[in-house]
Amino acid sequence: AVGADARLVDAAQCRAAEAALTGESVPVAKSTSPVPEATGLADRHDMLYSGTYVTGGRALALVVATGAHTEVGRIAGLTEGAADQRTPLERRIERFGRWLVGASLVLFVAVMLLGLWRGLPAVEVLMVAISQMVSVVPEGLPVAVTIALAVGMQRMAARGAVIRRLSAVETLGSTTVICSDKTGTLTRNEMTVTRLWWPEGAAGRRADVAGSGYAPEGAISRDGAPAA
């Protein structure tokens, strides 16, 4: 395991698995050949990075960054400093709240003017105007929204999706397309053989392979029957 970002000084058949950092599913060959300054992170073959693993060969490297100054540390810093964005539901509720405030102020002014125009006592008119303004605010709205989101979270949990934040339920409910680069990031970076084919006869022969990843359990079958 590489503990810091380092520049290679000497290398012989050195290969590093950088799936955790770049998403590359296969180890990358390393060398001491210089690369242009604008080279992307995944193509810097003269560097070793913290959080990656050396899978073969040998190398001598000079440490250039540790801790939060490494590439992994920068990613962690960006993750911690990311601002929480409001969900579509929160933005609509905020916009609805502004409309309610405007409507309550208009109602307050209208009741005051109407009461004073009719010659009613100013104190009584003020109390009536304040009560009408307060009555515009829907006190049960936060409770209703919370219950709706909780029901949505319960339904998603029944399908195997556990939500940490209640407000994320509405965002996921509005999502239509999810684009992600899953190689070595969302998966375990393991390739599994599921079917074999070899040339024999006119159409060749096929066999199904059971098992997953690097686990030693599995079986080979043909047409549903175990292969000899």
Side-chain angles (χ1 to χ4, degrees):
V2 181
D5 288 3
R7 186 177 303 278
L8 290 175
V9 178
D10 183 24
Q13 301 297 323
C14 180
R15 303 181 68 85
E18 299 179 341
L21 184 62
T22 64
E24 292 291 339
S25 59
V26 295
V28 179
K30 297 293 183 177
S31 67
T32 57
S33 302
V35 296
E37 184 177 356
T39 303
L41 181 64
D43 297 324
R44 299 174 189 172
H45 302 307
D46 60 342
M47 293 288 296
L48 293 174
Y49 296 104
S50 174
T52 62
Y53 296 88
V54 176
T55 60
R58 62 176 179 83
L60 178 65
L62 177 65
V63 173
V64 297
T66 59
H69 301 289
T70 62
E71 295 296 334
V72 174
R74 292 193 183 99
I75 295 175
L78 292 174
T79 303
E80 293 178 356
D84 293 334
Q85 296 183 353
R86 294 193 181 110
T87 65
L89 177 61
E90 291 175 337
R91 290 195 294 267
R92 287 197 295 266
I93 291 178
E94 183 180 358
R95 185 166 58 249
F96 180 64
R98 289 196 296 266
W99 278 100
L100 285 179
V101 171
S104 62
L105 291 176
V106 171
L107 180 61
F108 176 82
V109 174
V111 172
M112 287 293 298
L113 293 177
L114 181 61
L116 295 177
W117 176 72
R118 296 187 60 181
L120 299 176
V123 177
E124 295 182 3
V125 175
L126 178 63
M127 295 300 294
V128 173
I130 292 177
S131 64
Q132 294 298 317
M133 183 176 61
V134 172
S135 64
V136 174
V137 180
E139 297 179 358
L141 180 61
V143 178
V145 172
T146 302
I147 292 176
L149 293 178
V151 171
M153 178 180 291
Q154 185 178 10
R155 291 180 178 178
M156 296 185 70
R159 299 188 178 185
V162 179
I163 309 300
R164 185 178 65 176
R165 293 186 304 170
L166 194 63
S167 58
V169 176
E170 194 271 339
T171 304
L172 291 176
S174 303
T175 302
T176 56
V177 178
I178 298 177
C179 301
S180 63
D181 181 10
K182 70 177 184 60
T183 305
T185 305
L186 298 180
T187 62
R188 298 176 59 184
N189 199 21
E190 297 178 356
M191 298 181 66
T192 304
V193 176
T194 59
R195 181 170 297 177
L196 300 175
W197 178 90
W198 61 95
E200 183 176 329
R205 302 181 67 180
R206 292 182 174 84
D208 296 323
V209 181
S212 177
Y214 298 142
E217 295 83 13
I220 300 178
S221 60
R222 295 183 56 194
D223 299 328

